[in-house]
Amino acid sequence: MKQLTYLLIFLVIYSCNTGNQKSDNTGARVYIQKTDSGYELIRNGSPFYIRGAGGNGYLAALAETGGNTLRVYDTVNLKSILDEAYRYDIAVIVDISIPPHHQKYDYYADELKNRQLKEKVRALVSQYKDHPALLMWNLGNELYYPFVLRKNNFIRTFNELVGIIKAEDPDHPVSTALAGVGRMSAVSTYLHSPRLDLLAYNIFSDSPNLFDKIKQIAFITGKKPFYISEYGADGPWESKVTSWWVPVEHNTAEKTEQIIQRYHFMENNKPGECLGTLLFFWGNKHERTYTWFSLFLEDKKSESLKTLRQTWTNQEKDHENIGLQQMLVEKMSSFDNIVFEPNQMKETEILLRGTDSDSLTVRWVMYPEAWNWPWWLRQDTARMDYSPIKKIERFITVDKTKATFLTPENEGAYRIFAYVFDREGYYATANIPFYILSQDEKR
């Protein structure tokens, strides 16, 4: 009842604040234009639909796969990324990183920090605003925009930053990316930050509910332009977990199926206000595991890119998958809550489907579990272990699709990984978590 009351108040205030707002950006290099069916993005005088990914490079592969946009999270090497993107005719959405809203720790109450942040943002925008590869600015990723009736320190500073970006660069739109489709957060953002040109949504397993939730938001705010700033396979926060609270990761073939299904769903059901989609993650990063979202491994490409290329370019299937079907340890899968004693000889294997194993190379690796704490503590950064993860050398024999290993000496959580490489430079992966429990602990 309280939320309904707030929404009604929001509706009245929002109507008063936005009823007379008009803007004309048709002279800008990139702008959003209202159409009979919704909205469209105009870039250099022509309609532009975002189809790409968020990540940290590999622009030649993005162009080859059929993508036209890269969302960049890190601005450290921004000039070289923009220059390379221009060579491959890739547009770039540049994230401007700012601290998220936090109820307990109010970063934005510190005036000195606010001034420093504003000058940093002003300098960044001023430096790159004229680059021909630039598509738009995205101010903050998953900032947890608060659902409040009155502007707080965060909202005031956020709006000042939007104003600075627009004053420095009137030629490119400004967005912000929300975690999922939080209806209250989205409505609050529209109410308190009306100078934003559009919102963006990071969405994974909840993709089937995406557009229904956006329609509910539109009931309050009216139809607004948006884009999908992240989509992909299930994240660690929404996967099944073992009895010691570590998430189970899908293998590459299963991830590919999720990615393609979600892309087709969004493309087939998107309303006219949707300006495009970005896959996560175009590059390599460690998020729970090194392989969870990464679409590249050093100079190798995930086999997901083969399927993605035919999907993005509307081509018939022109490739054979590596065929990694399943991984087992002692005939058990990831869902079997595998517990071993220390220093025991065990066997792991991969099952291949329709593939000549002689054409493949298999690499086996074992690591301690990277972030070993319950999901409800994942926001507690004091408990995170960012130290380098060293692989454990415990393999005894390796015979193509099988390997034997000695279980680790120390108690704790571990994962064993299989990397399968083909001769074309593509790879597929799978891993299984297991736990080492000593006899003393069992007693």
Side-chain angles (χ1 to χ4, degrees), residues 237-254:
W237 61 91
E238 52 196 4
S239 299
K240 292 182 179 180
V241 297
T242 65
S243 58
W244 55 95
W245 289 99
V246 300
V248 174
E249 181 177 351
H250 291 290
N251 64 41
T252 302
E254 293 166 336

Side-chain angles (χ1 to χ4, degrees), residues 152-199:
N152 57 19
N153 292 327
F154 163 77
I155 294 175
R156 283 191 288 270
T157 302
F158 182 83
N159 287 341
E160 290 170 0
L161 291 171
V162 174
I164 288 171
I165 297 170
K166 286 185 165 292
E168 292 293 323
D169 181 12
D171 282 336
H172 299 93
V174 183
S175 66
T176 191
L178 304 183
V181 186
R183 286 160 289 194
M184 302 303 174
S185 181
V187 170
S188 187
T189 307
Y190 281 126
L191 169 68
H192 292 304
S193 300
R195 293 196 69 191
L196 279 174
D197 295 288
L198 72 169
L199 295 190

Side-chain angles (χ1 to χ4, degrees), residues 50 53 62 74 87 104 123 194 241 258 287 321 410 415 431:
I50 297 167
L62 181 58
D74 188 348
R87 289 197 298 273
K104 295 181 180 179
V241 297
Q258 289 182 340
E287 187 157 339
N321 289 328
N410 299 322
R415 285 182 194 254
N431 69 72

Side-chain angles (χ1 to χ4, degrees), residues 305-322:
L305 270 63
K306 291 185 177 183
T307 305
L308 191 64
R309 182 180 63 227
Q310 73 186 44
T311 300
W312 279 358
T313 58
N314 295 316
Q315 295 178 355
E316 295 294 326
K317 183 175 180 180
D318 59 354
H319 69 272
E320 291 296 327
N321 289 328
I322 289 174

Side-chain angles (χ1 to χ4, degrees), residues 99-115 117-118 152-158 160:
H101 167 70
H102 199 292
Q103 291 181 339
K104 295 181 180 179
Y105 173 67
D106 191 355
Y107 172 96
Y108 295 94
D110 189 319
E111 282 302 317
L112 176 59
K113 290 181 178 178
N114 281 344
R115 287 199 299 271
L117 179 61
K118 291 171 191 174
N152 57 19
N153 292 327
F154 163 77
I155 294 175
R156 283 191 288 270
T157 302
F158 182 83
E160 290 170 0

Side-chain angles (χ1 to χ4, degrees), residues 222-353:
K223 294 181 177 180
K224 301 286 186 180
F226 66 90
Y227 66 99
I228 308 305
S229 41
E230 291 178 7
Y231 76 93
D234 291 352
W237 61 91
E238 52 196 4
S239 299
K240 292 182 179 180
V241 297
T242 65
S243 58
W244 55 95
W245 289 99
V246 300
V248 174
E249 181 177 351
H250 291 290
N251 64 41
T252 302
E254 293 166 336
K255 291 178 188 177
T256 302
E257 184 177 359
Q258 289 182 340
I259 289 169
I260 299 304
Q261 283 181 348
R262 289 165 189 178
Y263 176 79
H264 281 308
F265 172 81
M266 290 185 290
E267 287 302 299
N268 293 334
N269 296 279
K270 68 179 186 289
E273 299 78 49
C274 182
L275 303 183
T277 60
L278 296 170
L279 176 62
F280 185 84
F281 180 81
W282 200 265
N284 43 70
K285 74 186 299 286
H286 192 289
E287 187 157 339
R288 198 68 197 214
T289 73
Y290 189 75
T291 58
W292 202 292
F293 288 114
S294 300
L295 289 167
F296 293 83
L297 179 66
E298 299 165 352
D299 62 336
K300 308 297 184 182
K301 297 181 284 189
S302 167
E303 72 168 3
S304 299
L305 270 63
K306 291 185 177 183
T307 305
L308 191 64
R309 182 180 63 227
Q310 73 186 44
T311 300
W312 279 358
T313 58
N314 295 316
Q315 295 178 355
E316 295 294 326
K317 183 175 180 180
D318 59 354
H319 69 272
E320 291 296 327
N321 289 328
I322 289 174
L324 176 55
Q325 184 176 3
Q326 192 177 16
M327 179 179 177
L328 301 172
V329 173
E330 292 293 306
K331 306 300 181 182
M332 293 180 287
S333 74
S334 295
F335 299 98
D336 288 324
N337 289 316
I338 302 172
V339 178
F340 295 133
E341 295 178 11
N343 297 310
Q344 299 290 307
M345 188 77 73
K346 301 296 177 183
E347 183 181 77
T348 181
E349 63 179 319
I350 55 172
L351 305 181
L352 299 172
R353 178 177 54 201

